[in-house]
Amino acid sequence: MEFDKNLESLIDSWIEENKESYLKDLASLIEIKSVSKEDEDGFKYGKGCHDVLVKAKEIASSYGFNCVNPEDKYLLIKYGNTKNKKIGIFNHLDVVPEGSSWINPPYKLTYKDGFVIGRGVADNKGAAIASLYALRYLKEHSISLNHPVELFYGAAEETGMDDIEAYKKSNEVPYFSIVPDTDFPVCHGEKGNMRFTLSKKVSSAVLNMEAGEVINAVPAYATATLKGCYRIDEKNIECEYIDSNTVIKAYGKAGHAAFPEESDNAVKNLFYALSKLDTGDDELNKTFSIFYQCVSKSYGEGLGIDISDEPSGKLTSMGTILRFDNNTIYLSFDTRTPVTVSIDSVDNKIKEFASKNGMSYNLESSSSPSYTALDSDIVKLLCSIAEHIHKKDFKPYTMGGGTYCRKLPFALGFGPGLKDAPNLFEAGKGHGHQSDECILLSLLLADIKAAILALIGIDKII
């Protein structure tokens, strides 16, 4: 792509002039605790998600955009009215729960040392406002495109993507879509996703177990309560003794389930400690060992599903939600399958594992991988834009993270992050799904420019 220096100068000046406006709009979304909870408080995804869609509509409408909010599930912001194939931009305004160990307030935008901090700044409210500002620029400078653009703000991306499924039932899906929920340059493939639960009944010696809030977030805390008094001398484990019972508390590092190397699963640490106990019940001891086997490694080894391929690497599998009910342990997994591997083949292997170990298995949901070949003209275009803006050589990549791309027929992840971007905090903090989530403001502002250039470029080649 050839770049117009005069256009770029205008874009850069406009972004600088509107930086404070951008921060104000972003702050108004960060203030809303938009954790998606289905049918809570009389709203489809809970009051927080209702409120954030209303606020986003208010912001977009103030800039003169036509907005639609069907069934309180998502917001559509439209630019252009030609009958040609649509270009889509897909962002989400729901966030994962804040968890613990924040230094800064999670629901107040903090600006420090060039970073913005708050739940959702990186995933995905910062990019959502950047997408809107890209359309603002086009509108305010009367730049007409041959193809209409539709900006989608979802409210259930973190909890199964029911929002985009509802959208697809009622709307023509864009011919091509950008999903700014990744890193630059271009994510051209996403692993498949499986969410399943393994369960097993145990003796009355177990009184309770609990960990995790949402399935794609690795928990930093897990707990189990057992009858009797046990002494456990293990790393990341504390014990409390209440009424002749032992409350075992396990600690780890929170993170995104798709990137296990960035976290330390508290569920793994809990079952490791439990597997070392002698409860006097051979069957219970065996059950603890089996569950530890399931979570002891992050790449499916314990389940017999350690699979990889050349385009996307290893399968990942993280047990993230632990519950106990009716004398039964329930452990739910977020598993990401390589782009060339069928969901059915992995499903069959897990069934075999469950049957062999006397466990029940329930596959709650699955989605197929997303993959676009590297020789695609749009992959090349977006990569050239990213290289031009960030002044570095890039290679398109695949990932385990799941975005709206996997729900769309032709979509690519495009920013706003950089894999080697600095982090204001120590390991285990600062990234999406972690405490003190942060991102450089300069990256979000660069994302506005990238989106403007991408829309102009895509409009010419589709």
Side-chain angles (χ1 to χ4, degrees):
M1 178 178 178
E2 293 188 6
F3 296 95
D4 184 330
K5 291 183 179 180
N6 291 330
L7 172 62
E8 287 192 77
S9 178
L10 289 171
I11 293 171
D12 292 339
S13 296
W14 184 88
I15 291 173
E16 183 61 29
E17 290 166 6
N18 286 277
K19 181 168 70 173
E20 293 305 316
S21 173
Y22 172 87
L23 285 170
K24 180 182 176 182
D25 288 338
L26 177 57
S28 70
L29 297 187
I30 298 300
E31 289 172 1
I32 301 171
K33 184 177 179 178
S34 50
V35 177
S36 187
K37 298 180 179 179
E38 190 167 359
D39 296 322
E40 183 187 61
D41 300 328
F43 299 100
K44 180 58 185 174
Y45 302 130
K47 188 175 187 304
C49 285
H50 164 80
D51 289 349
V52 81
L53 290 174
V54 169
K55 174 55 71 172
K57 183 177 181 181
E58 177 187 312
I59 294 168
S61 297
S62 74
Y63 298 129
F65 288 102
N66 176 31
C67 305
V68 181
N69 179 13
E71 302 179 72
D72 211 28
K73 291 184 175 182
Y74 55 87
L75 180 68
L76 293 181
I77 301 165
K78 302 184 179 185
Y79 179 68
N81 55 12
T82 69
K83 300 299 182 182
N84 293 330
K85 295 180 289 190
K86 286 191 296 186
I87 301 169
I89 310 176
F90 284 77
N91 293 101
H92 67 92
L93 300 181
D94 62 312
V95 298
V96 298
E98 68 275 15
S100 59
S101 304
W102 284 72
I103 299 170
N104 299 277
Y107 298 109
K108 179 181 178 181
L109 188 70
T110 300
Y111 182 69
K112 181 180 179 182
D113 298 335
F115 289 82
V116 284
I117 308 165
R119 177 55 88 221
V121 292
D123 186 15
N124 182 236
K125 292 177 179 179
I129 294 295
S131 298
L132 175 63
Y133 271 55
L135 295 186
R136 256 193 82 186
Y137 180 85
L138 296 178
K139 185 175 185 296
E140 291 178 12
H141 290 80
S142 301
I143 298 176
S144 297
L145 301 178
N146 295 317
H147 301 84
V149 180
E150 197 166 73
L151 172 56
F152 173 98
Y153 283 167
E157 195 267 359
E158 300 286 7
T159 55
M161 304 190 189
D162 174 73
D163 48 359
I164 195 171
E165 294 295 349
Y167 164 81
K168 288 160 63 177
K169 289 177 182 177
S170 304
N171 297 271
E172 178 188 356
V173 177
Y175 170 75
F176 172 75
S177 298
I178 294 170
V179 182
D181 195 11
T182 59
D183 290 329
F184 285 115
V186 184
C187 178
H188 71 107
E190 291 184 8
K191 292 178 178 178
N193 182 269
M194 298 174 66
R195 293 177 174 181
F196 61 87
T197 298
L198 292 173
S199 59
K200 188 172 177 64
K201 204 170 186 68
V202 294
S203 72
S204 59
V206 180
L207 299 177
N208 189 44
M209 285 187 163
E210 188 170 357
E213 296 183 77
V214 292
I215 198 164
N216 61 355
V218 178
Y221 177 73
T223 183
T225 304
L226 305 183
K227 286 182 181 179
C229 295
Y230 297 93
R231 184 177 174 216
I232 302 175
D233 186 17
E234 297 289 349
K235 183 181 177 182
N236 299 319
I237 298 292
E238 293 178 359
C239 290
E240 183 179 357
Y241 304 98
I242 302 174
D243 298 331
S244 299
N245 299 321
T246 304
V247 180
I248 303 165
K249 302 174 182 179
Y251 299 90
K253 285 183 180 179
H256 197 297
F259 309 104
E261 64 279 0
E262 298 176 3
S263 62
D264 180 21
N265 192 355
V267 173
K268 174 197 69 177
N269 296 336
L270 177 66
F271 276 114
Y272 175 75
L274 292 173
S275 72
K276 296 298 182 181
L277 290 181
D278 182 1
T279 65
D281 181 335
D282 290 344
E283 187 61 31
L284 182 59
N285 295 341
K286 181 180 177 183
T287 297
F288 287 157
S289 294
I290 291 170
F291 274 104
Y292 175 61
Q293 178 183 335
C294 294
V295 294
S296 61
K297 299 291 179 65
S298 303
Y299 302 100
E301 296 96 329
L303 295 166
I305 53 172
D306 44 328
I307 303 165
S308 65
D309 68 7
E310 191 278 327
S312 59
K314 295 179 179 180
L315 173 148
T316 62
S317 187
M318 301 293 283
T320 56
I321 295 182
L322 177 64
R323 296 292 184 264
F324 185 77
D325 183 56
N326 193 26
N327 287 342
T328 303
I329 299 171
Y330 295 89
L331 182 56
S332 298
F333 290 77
D334 182 298
T335 297
R336 313 291 170 117
T337 62
V339 296
T340 61
V341 174
S342 74
I343 295 289
D344 286 345
S345 65
V346 180
D347 180 52
N348 288 332
K349 288 179 180 290
I350 301 169
K351 285 177 181 175
E352 290 175 12
F353 175 87
S355 176
K356 178 182 177 181
N357 289 285
M359 307 173 91
S360 296
Y361 166 63
N362 181 42
L363 177 63
E364 281 96 19
S365 66
S366 65
S367 57
S368 298
S370 167
Y371 186 68
T372 300
L374 285 170
D375 60 1
S376 161
D377 287 341
I378 296 184
V379 170
K380 295 175 183 176
L381 168 72
L382 296 182
C383 196
S384 70
I385 292 170
E387 290 181 338
H388 179 72
I389 289 175
H390 290 288
K391 310 301 182 189
K392 59 193 303 182
D393 292 331
F394 282 118
K395 288 185 178 180
Y397 64 94
T398 63
M399 71 170 186
T403 72
Y404 288 129
C405 283
R406 67 174 69 254
K407 299 291 185 178
L408 295 163
F410 185 15
L412 295 168
F414 186 58
L418 290 175
K419 289 186 182 299
D420 59 355
N423 182 2
L424 194 58
F425 301 96
E426 70 272 15
K429 294 173 70 73
H431 295 293
H433 294 211
Q434 295 180 342
S435 59
D436 289 294
E437 179 180 340
C438 68
I439 187 171
L440 282 166
L441 175 60
S442 59
L443 287 180
L444 294 175
L445 299 180
D447 191 46
I448 300 174
K449 182 176 180 179
I452 294 168
L453 296 178
L455 289 171
I456 292 171
I458 293 164
D459 185 61
K460 294 177 180 177
I461 65 175
I462 66 171

mmCIF file of all heavy atoms in Angstrom, residues 278-316:
data_model
loop_
_atom_site.group_PDB
_atom_site.id
_atom_site.type_symbol
_atom_site.label_atom_id
_atom_site.label_comp_id
_atom_site.label_asym_id
_atom_site.label_seq_id
_atom_site.Cartn_x
_atom_site.Cartn_y
_atom_site.Cartn_z
ATOM 1 N N ASP A 278 -3.110 -37.943 52.671
ATOM 2 C CA ASP A 278 -3.643 -39.279 52.935
ATOM 3 C C ASP A 278 -4.906 -39.085 53.758
ATOM 4 O O ASP A 278 -4.847 -38.856 54.967
ATOM 5 C CB ASP A 278 -2.637 -40.133 53.694
ATOM 6 C CG ASP A 278 -3.159 -41.559 53.935
ATOM 7 O OD1 ASP A 278 -4.295 -41.855 53.473
ATOM 8 O OD2 ASP A 278 -2.450 -42.345 54.583
ATOM 9 N N THR A 279 -6.049 -39.153 53.088
ATOM 10 C CA THR A 279 -7.325 -38.900 53.765
ATOM 11 C C THR A 279 -7.844 -40.128 54.502
ATOM 12 O O THR A 279 -8.846 -40.048 55.210
ATOM 13 C CB THR A 279 -8.388 -38.450 52.741
ATOM 14 O OG1 THR A 279 -8.648 -39.543 51.833
ATOM 15 C CG2 THR A 279 -7.930 -37.228 51.976
ATOM 16 N N GLY A 280 -7.188 -41.280 54.286
ATOM 17 C CA GLY A 280 -7.705 -42.530 54.840
ATOM 18 C C GLY A 280 -8.762 -43.165 53.965
ATOM 19 O O GLY A 280 -9.289 -44.241 54.270
ATOM 20 N N ASP A 281 -9.074 -42.506 52.848
ATOM 21 C CA ASP A 281 -10.081 -42.986 51.894
ATOM 22 C C ASP A 281 -9.359 -43.161 50.555
ATOM 23 O O ASP A 281 -9.077 -42.167 49.865
ATOM 24 C CB ASP A 281 -11.224 -41.972 51.802
ATOM 25 C CG ASP A 281 -12.337 -42.397 50.849
ATOM 26 O OD1 ASP A 281 -12.075 -43.190 49.919
ATOM 27 O OD2 ASP A 281 -13.473 -41.911 51.019
ATOM 28 N N ASP A 282 -9.079 -44.418 50.178
ATOM 29 C CA ASP A 282 -8.303 -44.686 48.967
ATOM 30 C C ASP A 282 -8.970 -44.116 47.719
ATOM 31 O O ASP A 282 -8.292 -43.599 46.821
ATOM 32 C CB ASP A 282 -8.081 -46.185 48.797
ATOM 33 C CG ASP A 282 -7.113 -46.751 49.838
ATOM 34 O OD1 ASP A 282 -6.398 -45.941 50.471
ATOM 35 O OD2 ASP A 282 -7.094 -47.972 50.011
ATOM 36 N N GLU A 283 -10.300 -44.231 47.655
ATOM 37 C CA GLU A 283 -11.011 -43.733 46.475
ATOM 38 C C GLU A 283 -10.916 -42.217 46.375
ATOM 39 O O GLU A 283 -10.737 -41.661 45.286
ATOM 40 C CB GLU A 283 -12.478 -44.166 46.519
ATOM 41 C CG GLU A 283 -13.272 -43.846 45.258
ATOM 42 C CD GLU A 283 -12.732 -44.518 44.004
ATOM 43 O OE1 GLU A 283 -12.167 -45.620 44.112
ATOM 44 O OE2 GLU A 283 -12.866 -43.925 42.912
ATOM 45 N N LEU A 284 -11.038 -41.532 47.524
ATOM 46 C CA LEU A 284 -10.911 -40.076 47.517
ATOM 47 C C LEU A 284 -9.488 -39.656 47.157
ATOM 48 O O LEU A 284 -9.292 -38.718 46.364
ATOM 49 C CB LEU A 284 -11.306 -39.507 48.879
ATOM 50 C CG LEU A 284 -11.268 -37.980 49.018
ATOM 51 C CD1 LEU A 284 -12.194 -37.320 47.994
ATOM 52 C CD2 LEU A 284 -11.656 -37.568 50.432
ATOM 53 N N ASN A 285 -8.498 -40.347 47.699
ATOM 54 C CA ASN A 285 -7.107 -40.047 47.344
ATOM 55 C C ASN A 285 -6.886 -40.190 45.837
ATOM 56 O O ASN A 285 -6.230 -39.355 45.202
ATOM 57 C CB ASN A 285 -6.151 -40.997 48.076
ATOM 58 C CG ASN A 285 -6.167 -40.813 49.581
ATOM 59 O OD1 ASN A 285 -6.598 -39.773 50.074
ATOM 60 N ND2 ASN A 285 -5.692 -41.822 50.307
ATOM 61 N N LYS A 286 -7.457 -41.246 45.277
ATOM 62 C CA LYS A 286 -7.326 -41.485 43.832
ATOM 63 C C LYS A 286 -8.009 -40.381 43.032
ATOM 64 O O LYS A 286 -7.482 -39.925 42.008
ATOM 65 C CB LYS A 286 -7.923 -42.847 43.483
ATOM 66 C CG LYS A 286 -7.831 -43.210 42.006
ATOM 67 C CD LYS A 286 -8.457 -44.576 41.741
ATOM 68 C CE LYS A 286 -8.448 -44.912 40.257
ATOM 69 N NZ LYS A 286 -9.115 -46.214 39.980
ATOM 70 N N THR A 287 -9.197 -39.955 43.499
ATOM 71 C CA THR A 287 -9.931 -38.899 42.794
ATOM 72 C C THR A 287 -9.142 -37.598 42.781
ATOM 73 O O THR A 287 -9.041 -36.915 41.749
ATOM 74 C CB THR A 287 -11.301 -38.679 43.448
ATOM 75 O OG1 THR A 287 -12.073 -39.877 43.316
ATOM 76 C CG2 THR A 287 -12.041 -37.522 42.785
ATOM 77 N N PHE A 288 -8.570 -37.211 43.924
ATOM 78 C CA PHE A 288 -7.751 -36.005 43.962
ATOM 79 C C PHE A 288 -6.582 -36.117 42.979
ATOM 80 O O PHE A 288 -6.244 -35.147 42.285
ATOM 81 C CB PHE A 288 -7.220 -35.769 45.378
ATOM 82 C CG PHE A 288 -8.249 -35.293 46.367
ATOM 83 C CD1 PHE A 288 -8.058 -35.490 47.725
ATOM 84 C CD2 PHE A 288 -9.394 -34.626 45.944
ATOM 85 C CE1 PHE A 288 -8.991 -35.042 48.658
ATOM 86 C CE2 PHE A 288 -10.342 -34.178 46.870
ATOM 87 C CZ PHE A 288 -10.136 -34.390 48.225
ATOM 88 N N SER A 289 -5.965 -37.290 42.895
ATOM 89 C CA SER A 289 -4.830 -37.492 41.985
ATOM 90 C C SER A 289 -5.266 -37.384 40.526
ATOM 91 O O SER A 289 -4.533 -36.836 39.688
ATOM 92 C CB SER A 289 -4.185 -38.853 42.246
ATOM 93 O OG SER A 289 -3.600 -38.896 43.523
ATOM 94 N N ILE A 290 -6.459 -37.906 40.221
ATOM 95 C CA ILE A 290 -6.960 -37.829 38.840
ATOM 96 C C ILE A 290 -7.208 -36.376 38.442
ATOM 97 O O ILE A 290 -6.821 -35.937 37.350
ATOM 98 C CB ILE A 290 -8.253 -38.662 38.683
ATOM 99 C CG1 ILE A 290 -7.940 -40.151 38.797
ATOM 100 C CG2 ILE A 290 -8.920 -38.357 37.340
ATOM 101 C CD1 ILE A 290 -9.181 -41.018 38.907
ATOM 102 N N PHE A 291 -7.842 -35.605 39.358
ATOM 103 C CA PHE A 291 -8.101 -34.203 39.031
ATOM 104 C C PHE A 291 -6.785 -33.425 38.914
ATOM 105 O O PHE A 291 -6.666 -32.529 38.057
ATOM 106 C CB PHE A 291 -9.023 -33.563 40.065
ATOM 107 C CG PHE A 291 -10.490 -33.775 39.785
ATOM 108 C CD1 PHE A 291 -11.223 -34.695 40.513
ATOM 109 C CD2 PHE A 291 -11.126 -33.068 38.785
ATOM 110 C CE1 PHE A 291 -12.579 -34.898 40.248
ATOM 111 C CE2 PHE A 291 -12.474 -33.255 38.508
ATOM 112 C CZ PHE A 291 -13.203 -34.178 39.240
ATOM 113 N N TYR A 292 -5.819 -33.775 39.743
ATOM 114 C CA TYR A 292 -4.520 -33.114 39.597
ATOM 115 C C TYR A 292 -3.902 -33.453 38.246
ATOM 116 O O TYR A 292 -3.328 -32.577 37.574
ATOM 117 C CB TYR A 292 -3.570 -33.496 40.726
ATOM 118 C CG TYR A 292 -2.187 -32.912 40.497
ATOM 119 C CD1 TYR A 292 -2.000 -31.535 40.432
ATOM 120 C CD2 TYR A 292 -1.083 -33.750 40.302
ATOM 121 C CE1 TYR A 292 -0.740 -30.998 40.185
ATOM 122 C CE2 TYR A 292 0.169 -33.212 40.059
ATOM 123 C CZ TYR A 292 0.342 -31.838 39.998
ATOM 124 O OH TYR A 292 1.573 -31.307 39.740
ATOM 125 N N GLN A 293 -4.010 -34.699 37.837
ATOM 126 C CA GLN A 293 -3.494 -35.093 36.528
ATOM 127 C C GLN A 293 -4.118 -34.240 35.425
ATOM 128 O O GLN A 293 -3.434 -33.825 34.483
ATOM 129 C CB GLN A 293 -3.782 -36.570 36.268
ATOM 130 C CG GLN A 293 -3.312 -37.061 34.902
ATOM 131 C CD GLN A 293 -3.669 -38.517 34.640
ATOM 132 O OE1 GLN A 293 -3.847 -39.300 35.572
ATOM 133 N NE2 GLN A 293 -3.789 -38.882 33.377
ATOM 134 N N CYS A 294 -5.409 -33.947 35.543
ATOM 135 C CA CYS A 294 -6.121 -33.166 34.523
ATOM 136 C C CYS A 294 -5.540 -31.764 34.367
ATOM 137 O O CYS A 294 -5.541 -31.202 33.268
ATOM 138 C CB CYS A 294 -7.598 -33.039 34.881
ATOM 139 S SG CYS A 294 -8.518 -34.587 34.853
ATOM 140 N N VAL A 295 -5.108 -31.174 35.488
ATOM 141 C CA VAL A 295 -4.692 -29.769 35.468
ATOM 142 C C VAL A 295 -3.191 -29.580 35.681
ATOM 143 O O VAL A 295 -2.703 -28.450 35.697
ATOM 144 C CB VAL A 295 -5.457 -28.953 36.537
ATOM 145 C CG1 VAL A 295 -6.933 -28.879 36.193
ATOM 146 C CG2 VAL A 295 -5.260 -29.536 37.936
ATOM 147 N N SER A 296 -2.445 -30.669 35.831
ATOM 148 C CA SER A 296 -1.031 -30.554 36.165
ATOM 149 C C SER A 296 -0.215 -29.908 35.059
ATOM 150 O O SER A 296 0.789 -29.253 35.314
ATOM 151 C CB SER A 296 -0.450 -31.935 36.491
ATOM 152 O OG SER A 296 -0.569 -32.805 35.370
ATOM 153 N N LYS A 297 -0.629 -30.078 33.814
ATOM 154 C CA LYS A 297 0.044 -29.463 32.669
ATOM 155 C C LYS A 297 -0.978 -28.635 31.895
ATOM 156 O O LYS A 297 -2.181 -28.901 31.945
ATOM 157 C CB LYS A 297 0.651 -30.532 31.759
ATOM 158 C CG LYS A 297 1.706 -31.408 32.452
ATOM 159 C CD LYS A 297 2.962 -30.626 32.756
ATOM 160 C CE LYS A 297 4.001 -31.486 33.458
ATOM 161 N NZ LYS A 297 4.496 -32.592 32.624
ATOM 162 N N SER A 298 -0.489 -27.668 31.159
ATOM 163 C CA SER A 298 -1.373 -26.710 30.493
ATOM 164 C C SER A 298 -1.668 -27.047 29.037
ATOM 165 O O SER A 298 -2.420 -26.331 28.379
ATOM 166 C CB SER A 298 -0.749 -25.313 30.557
ATOM 167 O OG SER A 298 -0.501 -24.932 31.886
ATOM 168 N N TYR A 299 -1.068 -28.111 28.528
ATOM 169 C CA TYR A 299 -1.180 -28.400 27.100
ATOM 170 C C TYR A 299 -1.869 -29.734 26.817
ATOM 171 O O TYR A 299 -1.630 -30.367 25.789
ATOM 172 C CB TYR A 299 0.199 -28.342 26.449
ATOM 173 C CG TYR A 299 0.860 -26.992 26.646
ATOM 174 C CD1 TYR A 299 1.817 -26.805 27.634
ATOM 175 C CD2 TYR A 299 0.462 -25.896 25.887
ATOM 176 C CE1 TYR A 299 2.396 -25.563 27.847
ATOM 177 C CE2 TYR A 299 1.044 -24.645 26.089
ATOM 178 C CZ TYR A 299 1.996 -24.486 27.070
ATOM 179 O OH TYR A 299 2.557 -23.235 27.277
ATOM 180 N N GLY A 300 -2.736 -30.147 27.734
ATOM 181 C CA GLY A 300 -3.570 -31.322 27.511
ATOM 182 C C GLY A 300 -2.917 -32.647 27.796
ATOM 183 O O GLY A 300 -3.532 -33.700 27.567
ATOM 184 N N GLU A 301 -1.678 -32.654 28.307
ATOM 185 C CA GLU A 301 -0.963 -33.916 28.522
ATOM 186 C C GLU A 301 -1.729 -34.844 29.459
ATOM 187 O O GLU A 301 -1.837 -36.048 29.209
ATOM 188 C CB GLU A 301 0.431 -33.647 29.096
ATOM 189 C CG GLU A 301 1.358 -32.884 28.171
ATOM 190 C CD GLU A 301 1.359 -31.396 28.459
ATOM 191 O OE1 GLU A 301 0.311 -30.864 28.893
ATOM 192 O OE2 GLU A 301 2.402 -30.758 28.229
ATOM 193 N N GLY A 302 -2.244 -34.299 30.553
ATOM 194 C CA GLY A 302 -2.927 -35.126 31.535
ATOM 195 C C GLY A 302 -4.209 -35.740 31.039
ATOM 196 O O GLY A 302 -4.643 -36.789 31.525
ATOM 197 N N LEU A 303 -4.827 -35.116 30.046
ATOM 198 C CA LEU A 303 -6.078 -35.602 29.469
ATOM 199 C C LEU A 303 -5.858 -36.459 28.231
ATOM 200 O O LEU A 303 -6.820 -36.976 27.651
ATOM 201 C CB LEU A 303 -6.980 -34.414 29.105
ATOM 202 C CG LEU A 303 -7.480 -33.566 30.272
ATOM 203 C CD1 LEU A 303 -8.053 -32.247 29.761
ATOM 204 C CD2 LEU A 303 -8.543 -34.316 31.061
ATOM 205 N N GLY A 304 -4.616 -36.571 27.809
ATOM 206 C CA GLY A 304 -4.324 -37.342 26.597
ATOM 207 C C GLY A 304 -4.660 -36.613 25.321
ATOM 208 O O GLY A 304 -4.921 -37.235 24.286
ATOM 209 N N ILE A 305 -4.640 -35.273 25.367
ATOM 210 C CA ILE A 305 -4.988 -34.491 24.180
ATOM 211 C C ILE A 305 -3.860 -33.511 23.827
ATOM 212 O O ILE A 305 -4.110 -32.423 23.295
ATOM 213 C CB ILE A 305 -6.322 -33.728 24.372
ATOM 214 C CG1 ILE A 305 -6.291 -32.887 25.665
ATOM 215 C CG2 ILE A 305 -7.498 -34.684 24.386
ATOM 216 C CD1 ILE A 305 -7.505 -31.957 25.815
ATOM 217 N N ASP A 306 -2.625 -33.885 24.108
ATOM 218 C CA ASP A 306 -1.492 -33.034 23.764
ATOM 219 C C ASP A 306 -1.230 -33.142 22.261
ATOM 220 O O ASP A 306 -0.578 -34.068 21.788
ATOM 221 C CB ASP A 306 -0.254 -33.383 24.588
ATOM 222 C CG ASP A 306 -0.016 -34.886 24.694
ATOM 223 O OD1 ASP A 306 -0.984 -35.655 24.703
ATOM 224 O OD2 ASP A 306 1.171 -35.283 24.760
ATOM 225 N N ILE A 307 -1.760 -32.174 21.534
ATOM 226 C CA ILE A 307 -1.754 -32.162 20.068
ATOM 227 C C ILE A 307 -1.208 -30.811 19.619
ATOM 228 O O ILE A 307 -1.394 -29.795 20.287
ATOM 229 C CB ILE A 307 -3.192 -32.338 19.521
ATOM 230 C CG1 ILE A 307 -3.825 -33.637 20.055
ATOM 231 C CG2 ILE A 307 -3.214 -32.330 17.998
ATOM 232 C CD1 ILE A 307 -5.334 -33.683 19.857
ATOM 233 N N SER A 308 -0.543 -30.779 18.480
ATOM 234 C CA SER A 308 -0.054 -29.513 17.937
ATOM 235 C C SER A 308 -0.081 -29.555 16.415
ATOM 236 O O SER A 308 -0.210 -30.628 15.813
ATOM 237 C CB SER A 308 1.363 -29.215 18.431
ATOM 238 O OG SER A 308 2.270 -30.181 17.940
ATOM 239 N N ASP A 309 0.033 -28.391 15.790
ATOM 240 C CA ASP A 309 0.210 -28.328 14.337
ATOM 241 C C ASP A 309 1.175 -27.192 14.009
ATOM 242 O O ASP A 309 1.546 -26.389 14.875
ATOM 243 C CB ASP A 309 -1.126 -28.192 13.596
ATOM 244 C CG ASP A 309 -1.826 -26.861 13.813
ATOM 245 O OD1 ASP A 309 -1.228 -25.953 14.448
ATOM 246 O OD2 ASP A 309 -2.975 -26.715 13.364
ATOM 247 N N GLU A 310 1.582 -27.128 12.757
ATOM 248 C CA GLU A 310 2.596 -26.150 12.355
ATOM 249 C C GLU A 310 2.069 -24.708 12.367
ATOM 250 O O GLU A 310 2.750 -23.809 12.866
ATOM 251 C CB GLU A 310 3.148 -26.521 10.967
ATOM 252 C CG GLU A 310 4.393 -25.735 10.562
ATOM 253 C CD GLU A 310 4.065 -24.362 10.006
ATOM 254 O OE1 GLU A 310 3.003 -24.216 9.366
ATOM 255 O OE2 GLU A 310 4.862 -23.431 10.223
ATOM 256 N N PRO A 311 0.845 -24.439 11.863
ATOM 257 C CA PRO A 311 0.402 -23.042 11.829
ATOM 258 C C PRO A 311 0.153 -22.427 13.201
ATOM 259 O O PRO A 311 0.391 -21.237 13.402
ATOM 260 C CB PRO A 311 -0.902 -23.094 11.025
ATOM 261 C CG PRO A 311 -0.855 -24.375 10.279
ATOM 262 C CD PRO A 311 -0.094 -25.321 11.147
ATOM 263 N N SER A 312 -0.324 -23.227 14.176
ATOM 264 C CA SER A 312 -0.785 -22.611 15.430
ATOM 265 C C SER A 312 -0.180 -23.186 16.699
ATOM 266 O O SER A 312 -0.485 -22.710 17.799
ATOM 267 C CB SER A 312 -2.315 -22.690 15.512
ATOM 268 O OG SER A 312 -2.762 -24.040 15.469
ATOM 269 N N GLY A 313 0.644 -24.225 16.595
ATOM 270 C CA GLY A 313 1.315 -24.740 17.779
ATOM 271 C C GLY A 313 0.465 -25.674 18.623
ATOM 272 O O GLY A 313 -0.420 -26.373 18.125
ATOM 273 N N LYS A 314 0.716 -25.653 19.935
ATOM 274 C CA LYS A 314 0.132 -26.633 20.842
ATOM 275 C C LYS A 314 -1.316 -26.320 21.224
ATOM 276 O O LYS A 314 -1.700 -25.166 21.350
ATOM 277 C CB LYS A 314 0.955 -26.700 22.136
ATOM 278 C CG LYS A 314 2.365 -27.207 21.971
ATOM 279 C CD LYS A 314 3.079 -27.208 23.323
ATOM 280 C CE LYS A 314 4.512 -27.729 23.206
ATOM 281 N NZ LYS A 314 5.189 -27.712 24.531
ATOM 282 N N LEU A 315 -2.080 -27.384 21.434
ATOM 283 C CA LEU A 315 -3.364 -27.281 22.121
ATOM 284 C C LEU A 315 -3.104 -26.784 23.538
ATOM 285 O O LEU A 315 -2.093 -27.125 24.167
ATOM 286 C CB LEU A 315 -4.048 -28.640 22.141
ATOM 287 C CG LEU A 315 -5.335 -28.837 22.939
ATOM 288 C CD1 LEU A 315 -6.224 -29.878 22.264
ATOM 289 C CD2 LEU A 315 -5.060 -29.257 24.391
ATOM 290 N N THR A 316 -4.012 -25.966 24.082
ATOM 291 C CA THR A 316 -3.950 -25.569 25.487
ATOM 292 C C THR A 316 -5.241 -25.989 26.182
ATOM 293 O O THR A 316 -6.317 -26.000 25.570
ATOM 294 C CB THR A 316 -3.770 -24.049 25.653
ATOM 295 O OG1 THR A 316 -4.892 -23.359 25.093
ATOM 296 C CG2 THR A 316 -2.489 -23.578 24.974
#
